[in-house]
Amino acid sequence: MDQPPSDPRCPISDVDLWADEVLANPYPTYSTLRDLGPVVWLSRVGAYALPRYQEVREALQSHDTFSSARGVGIDAAYNKRAEGSILTSDPPEHDRFRRVLNPQLVPRALATHRDMIVRRAEDIVDSVMSAGTFDAAADLAQPYTVELLADLIGLPAEGRDQLLARATDGFDTFGPPNERMIAALGGLRELFRYCQHDAVPGRLTPDGWGQRIYDAGVSGDLAPEDCPKLMLAYVWAGMDTTVNAIASAVWLFATNPDEWDRVRADPSLIPSAFNEVLRIEAPVQRFSRFTTEVVTIDDIELPAGSRVALLFGSANRDPRHYPDPDRFDVGRNPIDHLSLGRGVHRCVGAPLALLEGHAVIAALASRIERFHEVSTTWRRNNAVHGPESAVVRCS
Ligand code: HEM
């Protein structure tokens, strides 16, 4: 379904960003798109893409012009059904959702959980390394992240084992209506059903983050019908993202042993190293926006009502912003990477994700001298990116 851009000067690409081989390794395609220009028309999906750093960052900071309220996926029909959540609303509606989640997730509030998170990271690292060889995704990142967030939310024990697969489905639904997206719709419906019927007062622990959502429904800070939607944001956005970040970290340390040596020699580099992991292997590769007025980028006019894909994974490897962007450098400390977003929708769970990442890298650094890559396969998901499996032997 090739469609022309409305401004004939706009560079056009017929690349399928959601094809299996591109999802597994998107970086050569991103480089081609960045060279075409700061805005490119993706003719197969009838949408614009911003592949360079500066334009993605500006779009994220301009929520009045680059709206989230008409969805952040790429498919128009899907976006229509997804309106009205924390992710898919603009201020002032969006502020209501943020006000409910923020108190639990600000660093000061998270400090009370810090020791528990560090202990869990140490326990799981002790357990996986005792086997000598482990899968950084299935054995380490997944159980660590899912159980931790499920406990903080206060979810019932039953059904937890399904959450990650459903969240993965949820991320697949952000793509165009390809086979993967269609197959995932049922999983997302199931996740929403879980939030409406299982993750509810009476089954949630009274002191967990989930109950705070329903308290807001009672106090009037949130409309009661918005409570399951906000619960969905937690279980959808908080797991598969962090899982990918941690699995990518181990893979990067295995394939860049000198960088691992630097972290081990100087653990004060851990926050910088985790920022570099997030920059170079963005766990969420893209979300989109909808223009509310005409936007001009590099003299090219994007009409009001355009769908625009913001390519975080490409922006983070833009040589115009990061010198030698394909090099993994634990000392780079790229605090301005775009993997956690920016502006009003900047990831509300970022402080938790950072705490989790730092704790697990610290536990690995104090115990494991060397990771030896045994085998790695990369995920093919319409939005998230990371190793499907990253098997390493440790010494
Ligand atoms: C490394 C891990 C993570 C990554 C890479 C990540 C990435 C992102 C990104 C890029 C956005 C911005 C979306 C946009 O601009 O449209 C976002 C928003 C969000 N994230 Fe995260 N996230 C991570 C961890 C978490 C965790 C642990 C939680 C929950 C505790 C969480 C919950 C959310 C929620 C609820 C939003 C919506 C915020 C809003 O729209 O105002 N995320 N995340």
Side-chain angles (χ1 to χ4, degrees), residues 60 287 289 312 336-343 345-347:
L60 285 169
F287 280 133
R289 296 293 192 260
F312 306 142
D336 57 355
H337 69 72
L338 300 176
S339 290
L340 294 163
R342 213 177 173 87
H345 287 279
R346 182 175 195 272
C347 178

Side-chain angles (χ1 to χ4, degrees), residues 60 68 72 85-89 94 97-98 101 105 145 149 153 209 230 233-243 245-246 274 278 282-284 287-289 310 312 338-342 344-350 352-354 356:
L60 285 169
S68 295
V72 297
S85 71
I86 184 169
L87 195 63
T88 56
S89 55
H94 172 254
F97 294 115
R98 288 291 288 219
L101 297 191
L105 286 160
T145 307
L149 185 58
I153 300 172
W209 295 351
L230 202 48
Y234 263 147
V235 294
W236 183 352
M239 295 180 177
D240 213 6
T241 46
T242 320
V243 166
I246 293 171
F274 195 51
L278 293 173
V284 181
F287 280 133
S288 79
R289 296 293 192 260
L310 312 182
F312 306 142
L338 300 176
S339 290
L340 294 163
R342 213 177 173 87
V344 295
H345 287 279
R346 182 175 195 272
C347 178
V348 68
L352 174 63
L354 297 179
E356 289 178 88

Side-chain angles (χ1 to χ4, degrees), residues 93-114:
E93 292 77 22
H94 172 254
D95 303 341
R96 285 184 303 134
F97 294 115
R98 288 291 288 219
R99 270 199 295 271
V100 176
L101 297 191
N102 265 337
Q104 286 68 248
L105 286 160
V106 291
R108 192 163 29 86
L110 282 175
T112 58
H113 302 293
R114 195 178 173 281

Side-chain angles (χ1 to χ4, degrees), residues 79-314:
N79 279 332
K80 183 115 203 71
R81 293 199 303 272
E83 289 175 8
S85 71
I86 184 169
L87 195 63
T88 56
S89 55
D90 293 333
E93 292 77 22
H94 172 254
D95 303 341
R96 285 184 303 134
F97 294 115
R98 288 291 288 219
R99 270 199 295 271
V100 176
L101 297 191
N102 265 337
Q104 286 68 248
L105 286 160
V106 291
R108 192 163 29 86
L110 282 175
T112 58
H113 302 293
R114 195 178 173 281
D115 290 349
M116 177 273 287
I117 293 174
V118 167
R119 201 178 55 247
R120 285 187 183 215
E122 289 172 344
D123 287 350
I124 195 154
V125 169
D126 282 338
S127 147
V128 295
M129 65 181 286
S130 67
T133 299
F134 66 92
D135 181 343
D139 301 331
L140 175 67
Q142 293 174 9
Y144 169 62
T145 307
V146 173
E147 281 306 308
L148 181 56
L149 185 58
D151 284 345
L152 289 168
I153 300 172
L155 297 175
E158 196 190 330
R160 286 185 181 195
D161 55 340
Q162 300 292 313
L163 289 178
L164 189 62
R166 304 274 186 249
T168 304
D169 285 341
F171 280 110
D172 264 332
T173 64
F174 285 115
N178 55 18
E179 260 178 51
R180 195 180 297 105
M181 190 265 210
I182 307 287
L185 288 168
L188 178 58
R189 267 196 300 275
E190 190 50 38
L191 193 62
F192 191 53
R193 194 210 59 76
Y194 170 85
C195 292
Q196 282 176 308
H197 300 287
D198 297 335
V200 290
R203 304 199 61 196
L204 293 165
T205 57
D207 56 347
W209 295 351
Q211 184 59 46
R212 302 286 82 75
I213 293 177
Y214 282 90
D215 294 347
V218 172
S219 69
D221 291 339
L222 202 61
E225 64 273 19
D226 283 338
C227 295
K229 280 199 229 165
L230 202 48
M231 181 64 76
L232 182 69
Y234 263 147
V235 294
W236 183 352
M239 295 180 177
D240 213 6
T241 46
T242 320
V243 166
N244 282 307
I246 293 171
S248 289
V250 174
W251 176 78
L252 283 161
F253 293 136
T255 49
N256 296 272
D258 294 348
E259 297 304 301
W260 185 235
D261 287 344
R262 288 176 72 193
V263 173
R264 294 194 71 236
D266 178 5
S268 75
L269 281 175
I270 289 172
S272 164
F274 195 51
N275 278 333
E276 180 69 342
V277 169
L278 293 173
R279 179 192 72 80
I280 204 162
E281 294 295 346
V284 181
Q285 288 284 313
R286 65 196 75 86
F287 280 133
S288 79
R289 296 293 192 260
F290 191 78
T291 56
T292 57
E293 59 191 20
V294 175
V295 180
T296 305
I297 298 176
D298 199 30
D299 281 342
I300 292 164
E301 278 197 0
L302 283 58
S306 299
R307 179 59 58 189
V308 186
L310 312 182
L311 307 185
F312 306 142
S314 176

